[in-house]
Amino acid sequence: MKKIAAYLIPVLACFAVGISASFFQASSIAEWYPTLTKPALTPPNIVFPIAWSVLYLCMGLSLGRLIVRRQHKGIIRLWILQLIANFLWSILFF
């Protein structure tokens, strides 16, 4: 059970950050982003939530793996810092 929690908690934390950031930027994505002139190679809008979901899943699983292997000394702080930076970047960009 501890092993499952070591993976599940970081994954859920990543998705919680992603969902909360989406609430802050929802109006910008709906109003501002569509008005931008985008290059022809810009992927369709459906690609972004899929890609971010995969990224958040991988970020959470990577921390879970470090916790299970007991190689997380100092890494958790760095992981939290990058998660905060990810949250802030989304809000500042949009």
Side-chain angles (χ1 to χ4, degrees):
M1 189 62 151
K2 287 183 182 181
K3 198 173 197 180
I4 292 172
Y7 284 101
L8 189 60
I9 292 170
V11 169
L12 291 177
C14 287
F15 280 106
V17 167
I19 290 168
S20 61
S22 72
F23 286 122
F24 286 106
Q25 63 193 14
S27 63
S28 295
I29 290 175
E31 299 166 10
W32 171 74
Y33 186 72
T35 64
L36 294 177
T37 304
K38 296 179 255 337
L41 294 176
T42 301
N45 289 341
I46 191 65
V47 172
F48 294 103
I50 295 168
W52 277 107
S53 295
V54 171
L55 288 170
Y56 284 138
L57 177 66
C58 290
M59 287 168 25
L61 291 175
S62 67
L63 182 63
R65 185 171 180 176
L66 290 172
I67 291 170
V68 167
R69 291 182 170 198
R70 301 189 193 286
Q71 297 174 339
H72 61 281
K73 303 256 192 253
I75 299 289
I76 293 177
R77 286 189 192 105
L78 189 59
W79 185 84
I80 290 170
L81 182 64
Q82 71 81 25
L83 199 58
I84 291 168
N86 188 308
F87 175 80
L88 292 175
W89 180 88
S90 297
I91 292 172
L92 295 174
F93 181 76
F94 289 104

